Structure formats: C-alpha cells, structure tokens
Amino acid sequence: MKKSMYSLILTDQVVEKIDQIAYQEGMSRSQLIDHLLAQQVGMATPEQKIRSIMEQVADRVQKSRPLQVKVRSDSGGVQFATYLRYKYNPGIKYSFEFTNQDDGQHAVLKVSSRSTSEDLLQHLTNFFEMLSEIDEHRFQEFHNQPIMVQVSTDSNNKFARELISSEVPLEGADEEEVAQYLSNYVVMLDEALQCYFTHLGERRVPERIDRIYCHYLEDLNLF
C-alpha cells in the first residue's frame, strides 16, 4: 500500500492519549492513527499484516524446532535464538526485518553470531555459499521462475537472505501462505545449519542439505 503525508487538525487531549497508547504499543503516532482508521473502515495496514504473519511464523517455528522466540512489538519482526553444536556452542540468531521500498515491501532474514572466531565465520560463509546454490537451483525448479539468491555478509558476522521482494511480493498474498513459507524457511535453515556442523568435513554434506531443503520447501505454493 502506498503511503502519503496528510495534514489533520486534532484535539490536543486526543493526541496526548494517542501518544500514550502508541508508546505502550511500541508504535509511532502516525502508525497508531493509521491502524485505528484502518480498523474503522474494515482494512488492515501493512504493519498489521506483518505483525499477524510474524505471530503465525513464531507459533509455527516453535512447534517445529527448539528455538527461543522473541516477537518485537515495534516493527512486528521476530527473532529466534539457538546455538550450534560446535566449539564452545556459539549462539546463533535468526531475525526478520521488513522495509517498505518503491517496488513494495521487502523481508530479509538475517543470521548473526556474536562469536569472533574466524574459523566459525569461515564455516558459516561456506555453509551459506552452499545453501545459496541449492536455493537458486531449487527455486526455479519448484516455482518455474528464476530468482537471484544473494546472501550478503558484513563485519558483524551477519548474513542476510531476502525472502519477500518484488519477485516474491507480499501485496495481496494470503497471510497463512506467507507465514508457512517464512516459517518453513527458518526451520529448514536451522536444520540445515545444524546438519552442516554435525557432519563437518563430510563429502555428502551438500546432498544432506539439499534433501532438507526439498523436504520443507518443494511442496509450498509460493503465493
């Protein structure tokens, strides 16, 4: 949905109450007013849709994997925490971040670790390069359309994979289908990552990860 700036004349006492509620809900004044007006006319704002989807994702993932879940009320994003069965059991976090761009809404799944181990970072880089090749190949096979899978990394040991974009748009999509797609991807990613470190150095690791990928994603209807 496109957003525009409008000028409104509001009662000071009403705005004061709006600000109190917005603060409690972790929202801005504009977001809360937009949400209240949307409810009044029987619509859902993009932020409301995202929150609803993320709540479903958190519920689905918790039922499938032993991950700690934290839903962030300010943006509707959700974060999952786990650890790797590797040296010192380093912690890993998966988080969704949503942005509005000219071509629609974008959702990025980020994977991060606070570990400073260069050895661990190299293994994570190897894993994501392996997964990217599988992801790009299987996406075209399953959905009969090409997609460029780009996994970026930064100096903070954070990897990012875009899941919602102009190629896989959220606009007009069914919430349950989106939630299933996003939750299945997180579950697949966690299981594949654990598999990689469990079988570190084995030749058949790519085959194992490919089977995990297909198990969770080949039968999904990509809204």
Side-chain angles (χ1 to χ4, degrees):
M1 293 182 182
K2 182 182 177 182
K3 290 190 175 184
S4 302
M5 184 178 293
Y6 297 92
S7 296
L8 298 174
I9 299 176
L10 303 172
T11 304
D12 291 342
Q13 290 81 357
V14 172
V15 173
E16 183 178 348
K17 187 64 177 178
I18 288 290
D19 287 345
Q20 291 176 2
I21 297 174
Y23 177 78
Q24 294 170 358
E25 296 292 328
M27 302 165 62
S28 68
R29 177 192 295 170
S30 295
Q31 285 177 326
L32 181 58
I33 291 175
D34 194 33
H35 288 194
L36 293 174
L37 292 175
Q39 290 176 352
Q40 187 65 31
V41 298
M43 295 179 62
T45 65
E47 291 81 8
Q48 287 173 322
K49 188 169 186 176
I50 288 172
R51 289 190 185 203
S52 176
I53 290 171
M54 287 296 96
E55 288 173 359
Q56 293 181 56
V57 169
D59 184 58
R60 288 171 180 266
V61 171
Q62 270 192 311
K63 291 178 179 177
S64 301
R65 300 291 293 176
L67 304 178
Q68 295 180 352
V69 180
K70 179 181 179 182
V71 177
R72 300 198 301 272
S73 61
D74 56 341
S75 63
V78 63
Q79 185 180 91
F80 305 95
T82 187
Y83 67 92
L84 296 175
R85 294 178 180 85
Y86 187 62
K87 302 175 184 177
Y88 313 112
N89 294 330
I92 292 290
K93 291 183 179 179
Y94 311 117
S95 60
F96 280 105
E97 295 185 9
F98 287 82
T99 59
N100 289 308
Q101 300 184 23
D102 293 339
D103 60 352
Q105 289 177 312
H106 288 238
V108 175
L109 175 60
K110 294 189 174 182
V111 183
S112 60
S113 171
R114 297 180 64 181
S115 173
T116 57
S117 167
E118 293 185 6
D119 185 52
L120 175 65
L121 181 59
Q122 185 58 56
H123 281 307
L124 287 173
T125 300
N126 294 343
F127 167 77
F128 279 104
E129 287 177 351
M130 184 186 305
L131 182 63
S132 295
E133 293 181 6
I134 295 171
D135 208 356
E136 188 170 348
H137 169 70
R138 291 299 187 185
F139 189 94
Q140 182 164 355
E141 178 184 335
F142 296 159
H143 306 294
N144 197 30
Q145 64 181 98
I147 188 171
M148 180 63 69
V149 177
Q150 294 182 331
V151 177
S152 60
T153 182
D154 60 26
S155 59
N156 296 318
N157 298 357
K158 185 178 292 182
F159 297 82
R161 160 74 162 94
E162 190 170 63
L163 295 178
I164 301 294
S165 65
S166 58
E167 296 173 304
V168 186
L170 181 60
E171 186 89 20
D174 180 82
E175 287 187 11
E176 288 191 8
E177 291 182 354
V178 178
Q180 185 180 10
Y181 169 56
L182 297 181
S183 58
N184 277 29
Y185 201 96
V186 173
V187 171
M188 177 279 297
L189 176 59
D190 184 62
E191 188 170 324
L193 188 58
Q194 299 294 351
C195 174
Y196 176 87
F197 280 95
T198 298
H199 302 279
L200 202 59
E202 294 182 13
R203 290 190 305 171
R204 299 185 64 183
V205 169
E207 295 177 29
R208 292 177 183 272
I209 293 176
D210 184 65
R211 285 199 298 269
I212 293 171
Y213 186 98
C214 293
H215 174 72
Y216 287 105
L217 297 174
E218 70 176 334
D219 294 327
L220 284 181
N221 293 320
L222 202 56
F223 45 98

